[in-house]
Amino acid sequence: MHISDRFRPSLALLTDLYQLTMAQGYWKKKLAEQEAVFHLYFRKNPFNGGYTVAAGLADAIDFLQHLQFTPEDTAYLGSLRGSKNQPLFEAGFLAYLEQMRFTCDVAAIPEGTVVFPNEPLLRISGPILQCQLVETPLLNIINFQTLVATKATRIVEAAQGDPVMEFGMRRAQGPDGSLSASRAAFIGGVGATSNLLAGQIFNIPVKGTHAHSWVMSFDEEQDAFAAYADVFPDDSVFLVDTYNTIAGIKKAVKVAKKLREQGHELVGIRLDSGDLAYLSKEGRRLFDEAGLSNVSIVASNDLDEYLIQSLKLQGARIDTWGIGTKLVTAYDQPALGGVYKLAALRNLTTGQWEYKLKLSEQLAKISTPGIQQVRRFYNEQGFLADMIYSEETEPSSTLIDPNDVTRRKTLANNTIFQDLLVPIFKQGKQVYQNPDLRSIQQYARHQVQQLHETIRRFLNPHVYPVGLESNLFNQKLEIILKLRQGEKA
């Protein structure tokens, strides 16, 4: 199979096998249309941070809009065999899949919103078979982009207003990993990417320099710089560390002076190895002494928020940061760990909702029941607290941390609030207009600024108050106790 064949028009099979075996089970037992509610959420902020930035919704919407099993899809499913070499899937079920169209309601927290553990990023409501089928692809899309957007936000925060570029395509996890990472990094505040396809698809500005091979292909380093400047007289950034960095900078100064004589300006140099603090200071000194203060110094070399913060403290004279591996791979935490749990099921006899809960010996893994919404309280200084509540109950003003019941917060009745989950699909029809990517980036930047600086810090951040509304907490506790009692029976 060619690489271009992997990204097919139909992505219905972009899922785990057990989603299809469960779907056949629902269909076979005549439960396929039973109404259910699922929530997608995560349990812990990534990178030991104090917040997370939601991303990936636009791609999730696109997936759901085009969810349809083609004859090629069902032919493949029909070829699968069970342990006794019998067809794994029945012909009637495969015919059902071909006719099926997505009819669920979807509510989601918009991209760029700062979010926290246990808050539903998406709520999927509708026939249980359809809700089940979309679990894996939604997690695949939301988990990764949310992770990278959060990492990018932290890196941009460390840069303190300096431009940040994403240079990570060559280290990304495959073609789609690189495209998704470029998109998510832009949401997180990165200003440009080296990935041309991402630039074309998402309208992200593209930037780049040249490689060491360009310099090595000439007998003299200065000749390489001069040749590049001849081709790009107004857009040259020289990579100066192929041999000796200080010597390379001095040669770049000479070429920059000649460029100026010809009516052009050198844009900058890039440092990709060595002591970046020292080399950037020396580079700045040499360019300033030559009257070339306009020349920018770009740094790369496995940078992340911690290294940028350290270089800033050392007084490094770096103007622009090029971030690759540590960003697009979310190097220090390669997975968000988002989950997708059933929270309510419509009783086929009574028509009433029955709240569902996954029990666990680990407190953090006990899911929350109910048809959930997230309410954010704030004032003119910023965000105050988030409350997860059930839409079926009028919320109280008290929230309780489900992992530590001694942590409670009561909000004044006149506190301003906003409910974060907004309608995306109604009965399978999209009712939400995706903002353009730059608007999402600006929104994300504003969202992060609404958090207190103690929550935004990288080490030992303050914990932002998030809890269950007291009625929902009590409902959850009641279900837990009932299930625990059933274990003893």
Side-chain angles (χ1 to χ4, degrees):
M1 178 183 288
H2 297 292
I3 190 169
S4 59
D5 295 329
R6 296 180 188 174
F7 304 101
R8 306 161 39 191
S10 171
L11 293 178
L13 295 184
L14 182 66
T15 190
D16 292 310
L17 174 62
Y18 80 163
Q19 307 291 9
L20 270 300
T21 56
M22 284 189 286
Q24 178 164 273
Y26 293 132
W27 172 81
K28 185 79 171 177
K29 296 299 180 181
K30 303 189 185 314
L31 299 172
E33 301 301 314
Q34 186 173 11
E35 194 174 357
V37 178
F38 286 76
H39 298 99
L40 187 155
Y41 62 97
F42 60 94
R43 297 188 179 110
K44 183 181 179 182
N45 285 318
F47 316 115
N48 295 313
Y51 66 91
T52 302
V53 176
L57 179 59
D59 285 347
I61 291 172
D62 185 68
F63 171 81
L64 294 174
Q65 274 188 321
H66 297 93
L67 178 61
Q68 182 177 346
F69 286 85
T70 66
E72 292 78 13
D73 295 331
T74 54
Y76 169 72
L77 292 174
S79 73
L80 299 180
R81 294 291 183 267
S83 58
K84 294 186 177 180
N85 202 36
Q86 79 282 12
L88 190 61
F89 296 105
E90 297 183 19
F93 171 65
L94 297 178
Y96 173 90
L97 289 181
E98 282 194 32
Q99 297 299 316
M100 187 194 76
R101 298 296 181 268
F102 185 70
T103 60
C104 293
D105 291 348
V106 179
I109 296 179
E111 290 189 274
T113 306
V114 291
V115 290
F116 302 92
N118 301 309
E119 297 180 345
L121 306 187
L122 278 81
R123 185 181 70 214
I124 317 295
S125 311
I128 191 169
L129 184 148
Q130 294 182 36
C131 292
Q132 191 73 69
L133 282 178
V134 300
E135 172 183 2
T136 300
L138 290 180
L139 285 169
N140 176 269
I141 294 166
I142 299 297
N143 271 342
F144 181 65
Q145 291 200 40
T146 297
L147 189 71
V148 174
T150 305
K151 187 66 171 178
T153 302
R154 291 163 60 85
I155 289 170
V156 169
E157 179 107 348
Q160 300 176 17
D162 296 341
V164 177
M165 297 183 288
E166 178 265 305
F167 286 170
M169 180 179 180
R170 64 188 59 199
R171 302 283 173 77
Q173 281 91 344
D176 182 60
S178 69
L179 289 172
S180 296
S182 294
R183 181 184 186 278
F186 191 77
I187 289 174
V190 167
T193 179
S194 64
N195 187 334
L196 284 173
L197 186 56
Q200 180 191 45
I201 294 173
F202 304 121
N203 195 29
I204 299 173
V206 292
K207 297 286 185 181
T209 59
H210 61 72
H212 292 111
S213 56
W214 172 265
V215 176
M216 294 162 63
S217 67
F218 290 80
D219 291 335
E220 297 292 337
E221 187 174 32
Q222 188 167 324
D223 293 343
F225 295 159
Y228 199 79
D230 186 53
V231 178
F232 302 103
D234 299 301
D235 298 283
S236 285
V237 178
F238 300 151
L239 181 57
V240 296
D241 69 336
T242 305
Y243 305 117
N244 178 286
T245 303
I246 296 299
I249 294 173
K250 291 178 179 178
K251 293 169 186 174
V253 168
K254 292 178 181 179
V255 175
K257 286 181 176 180
K258 289 185 178 180
L259 268 175
R260 178 169 287 181
E261 291 172 1
Q262 298 165 3
H264 306 287
E265 296 290 338
L266 177 64
V267 174
I269 61 168
R270 178 160 70 99
L271 304 171
D272 191 47
S273 61
D275 186 333
L276 297 180
Y278 166 74
L279 293 171
S280 65
K281 291 176 186 178
E282 282 298 294
R284 183 77 279 148
R285 180 182 65 80
L286 289 167
F287 280 109
D288 288 351
E289 288 177 354
L292 298 165
S293 299
N294 60 297
V295 175
S296 177
I297 297 177
V298 182
S300 49
N301 190 29
D302 281 345
L303 297 172
D304 63 10
E305 65 268 41
Y306 300 105
L307 279 171
I308 293 173
Q309 192 174 65
S310 174
L311 287 164
K312 287 278 189 182
L313 290 172
Q314 296 173 63
R317 299 299 302 275
I318 295 167
D319 304 297
T320 301
W321 306 87
I323 317 296
T325 306
K326 298 293 181 69
L327 172 56
V328 301
T329 67
Y331 192 85
D332 43 341
Q333 184 181 324
L336 179 64
V339 294
Y340 185 90
K341 299 299 180 185
L342 175 66
L345 197 62
R346 183 83 74 180
N347 187 291
L348 293 174
T349 302
T350 66
Q352 300 298 309
W353 284 111
E354 294 180 349
Y355 286 1
K356 297 293 181 177
L357 175 150
K358 178 205 174 290
L359 205 54
S360 173
E361 296 301 319
Q362 296 174 256
L363 186 61
K365 286 196 170 186
I366 299 178
S367 63
T368 298
I371 304 171
Q372 297 164 37
Q373 174 62 275
V374 182
R375 179 162 291 183
R376 176 158 294 163
F377 296 88
Y378 60 94
N379 59 22
E380 59 276 6
Q381 276 79 49
F383 300 149
L384 299 174
D386 286 7
M387 172 189 288
I388 303 167
Y389 72 94
S390 171
E391 287 195 339
E392 287 205 306
T393 306
E394 182 65 27
S396 68
S397 57
T398 299
L399 57 92
I400 303 170
D401 185 339
N403 297 319
D404 182 356
V405 297
T406 66
R407 294 173 61 90
R408 302 180 178 217
K409 189 177 184 69
T410 299
L411 286 304
N413 290 330
N414 61 351
T415 306
I416 306 169
F417 65 83
Q418 177 186 12
D419 286 345
L420 300 185
L421 285 165
V422 299
I424 306 296
F425 286 89
K426 289 285 184 77
Q427 296 183 338
K429 304 297 183 184
Q430 184 179 343
V431 295
Y432 176 80
Q433 183 63 44
N434 283 315
D436 65 84
L437 202 57
R438 192 169 295 277
S439 296
I440 297 172
Q441 183 191 67
Q442 293 169 351
Y443 172 68
R445 183 180 298 119
H446 179 263
Q447 282 275 300
V448 173
Q449 292 304 311
Q450 300 310 300
L451 297 173
H452 193 271
E453 60 184 14
T454 59
I455 297 168
R456 303 203 308 266
R457 69 188 178 212
F458 301 147
L459 297 176
N460 301 315
H462 186 74
V463 178
Y464 179 80
V466 178
L468 302 183
E469 183 268 336
S470 58
N471 292 316
L472 180 57
F473 175 84
N474 289 331
Q475 287 177 311
K476 179 175 180 177
L477 181 60
E478 181 180 338
I479 295 171
I480 291 172
L481 293 174
K482 182 178 179 180
L483 291 172
R484 293 287 192 214
Q485 189 64 34
E487 288 178 338
K488 298 175 183 179

